[in-house]
Amino acid sequence: MEIERRHAPVPGELLDYLRANPTPPQGAEGGVHVHVHHHYAPAAPIPADHIVHQGPQQSMAHKILPYLWTALLACVVLTICAAVLATVLVVVVAVLAALALLGLVIAYVINSQTGAIAARGKAAMDAAKAEALGRKRR
């Protein structure tokens, strides 16, 4: 009787026991069928937050789907940011145009006041010259 040894040697006491107590033939072949059980240390426990995948492998579409949702969310966020930026830029351009127009109005007022002051000054100068000439003639 040959005992199959696959993983670990079988102790001699077990061999003696099996030779002394053969089991009745099983199956069509006859003979003794012996199973050697190996006891290993238990595996380390799986942490509670560890992801355990069970079932068949995911298809490529299922693997890529979370990335597509992330890309869609990023596109929505970037579109909203672009819209806000465009609105702010329109307001900034309008404010700058209003400031430029205000500067032009102020420049026109200053220019017209300067002309008026110059005209008054010239009139005063002419009056002073006329008065000076009038005094000389007397």
Side-chain angles (χ1 to χ4, degrees):
M1 172 169 87
E2 184 68 28
I3 295 180
E4 185 178 338
R5 297 180 186 196
R6 292 184 185 212
H7 300 290
V10 178
E13 297 93 23
L14 182 59
L15 289 175
D16 293 338
Y17 174 79
L18 291 173
R19 284 189 189 113
N21 301 310
T23 55
Q26 298 177 1
E29 302 171 357
V32 177
H33 188 80
V34 176
H35 291 278
V36 178
H37 295 276
H38 300 278
H39 296 276
Y40 299 102
I46 297 174
D49 59 344
H50 185 72
I51 298 173
V52 178
H53 295 287
Q54 295 179 351
Q57 286 285 333
Q58 291 182 337
S59 67
M60 182 57 80
H62 284 101
K63 288 180 183 177
I64 241 175
L65 198 60
Y67 298 107
L68 291 176
W69 281 110
T70 304
L72 178 65
L73 180 65
C75 288
V76 168
V77 168
L78 289 176
T79 302
I80 291 171
C81 289
V84 168
L85 182 64
T87 305
V88 168
L89 286 178
V90 165
V91 170
V92 167
V93 167
V95 167
L96 289 177
L99 286 174
L101 183 63
L102 180 65
L104 289 174
V105 168
I106 290 173
Y108 176 76
V109 168
I110 289 173
N111 192 19
S112 65
Q113 289 297 323
T114 304
I117 290 173
R120 275 188 261 154
K122 186 176 181 208
M125 191 70 128
D126 289 342
K129 281 183 185 178
E131 188 179 320
L133 284 177
R135 284 187 192 169
K136 280 187 180 181
R137 287 185 191 171
R138 280 188 214 177

